[in-house]
């Protein structure tokens, strides 16, 4: 794979959790893998005062704990790429000195005027910081923002974290703010789920094999489940979580991305534009859920008290009577030729029985059951099931019916591909390859403006006024360590289906 272009990665929010726990360890892994250009530097911007050396020392334990293969010597070399700038990024006063510092690093390190901004700050700071970057003249569309060598073309790009808005209108507003400063080709809406190898391998499985694609449609697929279950609770993040909930936090972002990969049409080529166009189309084809249909198409829940954490409603910071969901399951229909009549169920929850992220493609059973007369086989044939497990293990399982040797009966068996065993490769932290993609200008695994807005339109009925009935009696309606509220099972039973638990 080509290394990233030489650039300065400018991280706004350098003192924060995401930078220390994810971004810098991921950059260290990319440095060790030889994926960063030797010239590339990282400048962290935050208000807390510290020197370059203090920041480097502060980050070392984070890299030790969160990166694969820590080596003190390699960290010392990597740390020379790290610089810290003290400033309040929402104020105009921050920028003349920041620009000067970036220009100085650019000229000594030969980063060619290329800047990759990363917004790792609270979402309400995104729009003011974007405007300040523009006011400071740091986005020059090919021309150089610093004085040296006017002939060399440069790029300036921006990575935007989730949450990307809180509904369709706020996402559109953020898109407009970005669009006033950056071209769409320079905007990288990140979703670290798309940095996971097994999510990408879904496209390879579908489109590099003859086996799956002919049956990947409503004629053969009964339904599809996309699940992201966590065993942990909300913990101390109640202020953030109570404003967010499982639909905004997980379903609108990560699960809708996985859904798009599973449901999209074959792109005309494996290029960013072609893939993103197909994802936009399939998200656009999601049938809007009418207010009157919301209650029948979803289940919402809040976890009750367990031995190690109180009930969600009793956590400090959660307002009394909060109806924010810690569990959500929604059913979507895709109105296109491929999927008409095949529902997609998206489900996510905290304090669940297992940590598991997966896509389950449940095929229909054969039209006729020739084996009904077998002496010990009274049941019907089960349809094949393809399980693409994203976490905790990265593996694919295909179940099919088989004759039990020596007995006249039939039972399901599974074929399994475990990516870690098969390819013996340690998967790097998803952020690293995604950031290198941004440095190379590859937007394949980043979200387009229309995809984000389309995903909001798909989930909005389940967070708006129409969801009030689903929220009635939500408090403590599921036990920690379970698979969610009883209503989630009922949602499937009503449709004659069951969750893959
Ligand atoms: N943490 C995660 O795992 C994660 C995952 C996905 C998405 N995200 C998103 O990523 C963003 C950052 O999350 P986080 O968890 O890292 O938050 P955080 O721990 O609160 O860090 C944000 C940092 O921004 C800095 N900051 C605040 N105001 C600033 C200003 N005016 N100018 C410059 N720096 C400023 C703060 O440092 P100073 O006080 O020193 O300025 C703070 O440490 C959020 O939008 C979050 O939703 C986080």
């Amino acid at each position: 794979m080509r290394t990233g272009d030489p650039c300065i990665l400018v991280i706004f929010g350098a003192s924060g959790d995401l930078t220390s726990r994810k971004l810098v360890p991921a950059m260290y892994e990319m440095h060790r893998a030889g994926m960063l250009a030797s010239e590339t530097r990282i400048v962290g911007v935050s208000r807390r005062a510290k020197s370059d050396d203090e920041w480097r020392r502060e980050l070392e334990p984070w890299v030790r704990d969160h990166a694969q293969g820590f080596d003190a010597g390699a960290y010392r070399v990597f740390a020379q790429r790290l610089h810290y700038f003290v400033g309040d990024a929402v104020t105009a006063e921050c920028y003349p000195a920041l620009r000067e510092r970036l220009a100085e690093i650019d000229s000594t390190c030969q980063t060619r005027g290329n800047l990759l901004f990363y917004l790792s700050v609270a979402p309400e700071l995104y729009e003011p910081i974007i405007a300040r970057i523009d006011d400071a003249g740091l986005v020059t569309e090919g021309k150089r923002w610093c004085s040296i060598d006017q002939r060399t073309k440069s790029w300036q790009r921006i990575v935007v974290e989730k949450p990307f808005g809180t509904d369709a209108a706020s996402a559109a507003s953020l898109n407009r703010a970005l669009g006033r400063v950056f071209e769409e080709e320079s905007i990288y809406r990140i979703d670290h789920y798309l940095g996971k190898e097994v999510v990408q391998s879904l496209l390879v499985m579908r489109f590099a094999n003859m086996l799956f694609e002919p049956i990947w449609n409503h004629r053969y697929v009964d339904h599809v489940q996309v699940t992201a279950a966590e065993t942990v609770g909300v913990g101390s993040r109640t202020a953030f979580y109570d404003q967010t909930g499982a639909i905004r936090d997980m379903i609108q972002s990560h699960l809708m991305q996985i859904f798009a990969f599973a449901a999209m049409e074959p792109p005309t080529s494996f290029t960013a534009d072609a893939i993103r166009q197909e994802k936009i189309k399939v998200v656009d084809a999601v049938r809007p859920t009418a207010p009157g249909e919301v209650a029948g198409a979803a289940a919402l829940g809040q976890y009750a008290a367990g031995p190690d954490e109180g009930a969600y409603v009793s956590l400090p910071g959660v307002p009394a009577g909060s109806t924010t969901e810690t569990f959500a399951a929604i059913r979507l229909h895709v109105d296109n030729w491929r999927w008409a009549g095949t529902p997609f169920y998206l489900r996510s929850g905290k304090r669940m029985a297992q940590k598991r992220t997966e896509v389950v493609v449940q095929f229909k059973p054969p039209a006729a059951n020739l084996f009904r007369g077998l002496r010990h086989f009274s049941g019907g044939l089960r349809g094949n099931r393809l399980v693409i497990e994203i976490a905790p293990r990265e593996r694919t399982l295909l179940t099919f019916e088989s004759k039990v040797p020596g007995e006249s009966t039939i039972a399901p068996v599974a074929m399994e591909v475990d990516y870690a065993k098969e390819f013996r490769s340690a998967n790097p932290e998803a952020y690293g390859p995604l950031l290198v993609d941004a440095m190379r200008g590859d937007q394949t695994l980043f979200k387009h403006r229309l995809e984000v807005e389309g995903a909001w339109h798909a989930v909005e009925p389940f967070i708006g006024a129409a969801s009030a009935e689903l929220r009635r009696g939500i408090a403590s309606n599921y036990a920690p360590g379970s698979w969610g509220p009883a209503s989630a099972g009922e949602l499937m039973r009503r449709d004659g289906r069951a969750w893959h638990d």
Side-chain angles (χ1 to χ4, degrees):
M1 206 167 87
R2 187 159 68 84
T3 58
D5 296 350
C7 65
I8 307 178
L9 169 63
V10 185
I11 305 177
F12 293 101
S15 300
D17 172 72
L18 183 67
T19 305
S20 316
R21 201 161 49 82
K22 296 282 184 189
L23 303 182
V24 173
M27 284 294 91
Y28 165 82
E29 286 177 357
M30 293 297 99
H31 160 85
R32 288 211 68 191
M35 297 309 297
L36 295 185
S38 58
E39 299 89 345
T40 292
R41 294 295 181 271
I42 299 165
V43 173
V45 181
S46 267
R47 292 164 307 176
R48 258 164 270 184
K50 50 193 127 169
S51 66
D52 287 358
D53 280 336
E54 280 167 338
W55 196 43
R56 291 166 182 166
R57 277 198 299 277
E58 179 185 301
L59 288 171
E60 184 170 341
W62 290 94
V63 174
R64 187 187 300 274
D65 292 348
H66 296 277
Q68 286 176 11
F70 182 80
D71 173 88
Y75 181 77
R76 269 195 299 281
V77 177
F78 168 74
Q80 294 312 304
R81 295 180 186 263
L82 299 170
H83 303 272
Y84 188 82
F85 181 85
V86 188
D88 182 340
V90 298
T91 63
E93 296 76 62
C94 168
Y95 286 82
L98 175 60
R99 186 180 162 133
E100 208 173 293
R101 182 84 187 277
L102 295 176
E104 180 195 309
I105 294 171
D106 182 71
S107 83
T108 47
C109 303
Q110 304 297 311
T111 50
R112 305 184 196 171
N114 297 335
L115 299 174
L116 180 62
F117 300 106
Y118 198 117
L119 297 181
S120 180
V121 287
E124 56 275 19
L125 305 188
Y126 294 174
E127 291 194 29
I129 294 179
I130 293 161
R132 295 294 95 76
I133 291 172
D134 187 32
D135 297 343
L138 286 168
V139 182
T140 54
E141 286 182 7
K143 295 191 287 300
R144 303 216 46 179
W145 52 270
C146 45
S147 56
I148 22 133
D149 189 3
Q150 292 300 331
R151 285 163 307 171
T152 317
K153 279 203 161 183
S154 67
W155 52 252
Q156 292 84 42
R157 300 176 185 145
I158 187 159
V159 184
V160 189
E161 257 301 341
K162 78 162 208 186
F164 199 97
T166 53
D167 53 20
S170 55
S173 157
L174 179 53
N175 277 326
R176 280 194 298 277
L178 282 162
R180 280 193 283 274
V181 182
F182 294 91
E183 298 290 333
E184 182 63 30
E185 309 73 275
S186 303
I187 303 169
Y188 289 72
R189 298 172 192 84
I190 196 164
D191 186 328
H192 68 272
Y193 269 52
L194 297 188
K196 293 183 191 290
E197 286 290 339
V198 70
V199 176
Q200 296 165 38
S201 77
L202 181 57
L203 289 191
V204 176
M205 192 178 72
R206 285 189 58 193
F207 302 129
N209 295 294
M210 200 50 218
L211 211 55
F212 301 106
E213 206 43 32
I215 55 168
W216 204 264
N217 56 53
H218 69 97
R219 277 187 293 281
Y220 298 96
V221 177
D222 178 72
H223 73 278
V224 179
Q225 300 178 19
V226 184
T227 293
E230 296 177 280
T231 50
V232 293
V234 175
S236 59
R237 296 167 65 231
T238 48
F240 155 78
Y241 198 85
D242 202 65
Q243 297 296 313
T244 309
I247 295 177
R248 287 189 173 92
D249 191 34
M250 295 296 294
I251 296 185
Q252 186 278 337
S253 51
H254 309 310
L255 269 56
M256 284 299 291
Q257 283 298 305
I258 299 174
F259 152 79
F261 269 40
M264 67 190 256
E265 292 300 311
T268 48
S269 62
F270 204 69
T271 57
D273 272 355
I275 292 172
R276 286 169 21 133
Q277 268 170 28
E278 296 306 335
K279 285 170 70 200
I280 293 168
K281 278 198 243 168
V282 76
V283 171
D284 207 36
V286 172
R287 185 195 305 163
T289 308
E293 295 166 353
V294 167
L300 302 180
Q302 265 180 6
Y303 59 81
D308 50 348
E309 186 175 322
Y312 173 73
V313 270
S314 69
L315 297 179
V318 175
S322 163
T323 58
T324 300
E325 74 288 353
T326 62
F327 171 94
I330 67 171
R331 182 184 62 216
L332 297 177
H333 285 280
V334 183
D335 278 341
N336 66 12
W337 206 250
R338 182 185 290 264
W339 293 119
T342 294
F344 284 73
Y345 298 89
L346 276 55
R347 156 177 85 150
S348 181
K350 293 200 174 287
R351 302 284 271 147
M352 305 280 283
Q354 277 175 31
K355 177 178 167 58
R356 180 135 47 93
T357 307
E358 66 182 16
V359 181
V360 177
V361 181
Q362 177 64 57
F363 291 93
K364 294 179 179 176
N369 179 3
L370 311 184
F371 305 98
R372 61 191 180 280
L374 282 189
R375 196 146 45 89
H376 299 294
F377 183 63
S378 54
L381 296 171
R382 286 150 284 232
N384 300 103
R385 182 189 288 149
L386 180 69
V387 180
I388 299 149
E389 187 179 321
I390 298 161
R393 286 160 67 189
E394 297 200 323
R395 59 182 181 146
T396 302
L397 286 141
L398 178 65
T399 64
F400 53 92
E401 301 286 43
S402 182
K403 181 178 176 306
V404 179
E407 292 177 32
S408 50
T409 191
I410 288 175
V413 289
M415 285 195 304
E416 179 185 330
V417 179
D418 185 320
Y419 288 82
K421 279 194 212 143
E422 200 66 32
F423 299 106
R424 294 185 193 287
S425 63
N427 281 334
E429 171 57 66
Y431 276 97
L434 289 175
L435 279 169
V436 171
D437 280 355
M439 291 172 182
R440 293 187 301 139
D442 182 348
Q443 289 186 303
T444 309
L445 299 173
F446 294 84
K447 303 185 245 190
H448 189 277
R449 175 174 66 85
L450 297 177
E451 256 184 87
V452 176
E453 292 177 26
W456 276 118
H457 287 302
V459 304
E460 257 183 354
F462 303 101
I463 46 182
S467 71
E469 193 183 324
L470 288 167
R471 292 173 197 276
R472 209 166 294 132
I474 191 178
S476 300
N477 69 355
Y478 71 94
S482 70
W483 282 105
S487 53
E490 282 155 24
L491 171 70
M492 288 302 242
R493 263 192 302 284
R494 277 201 304 274
D495 292 354
R497 302 185 169 104
W499 292 108
H500 177 242
D501 289 340

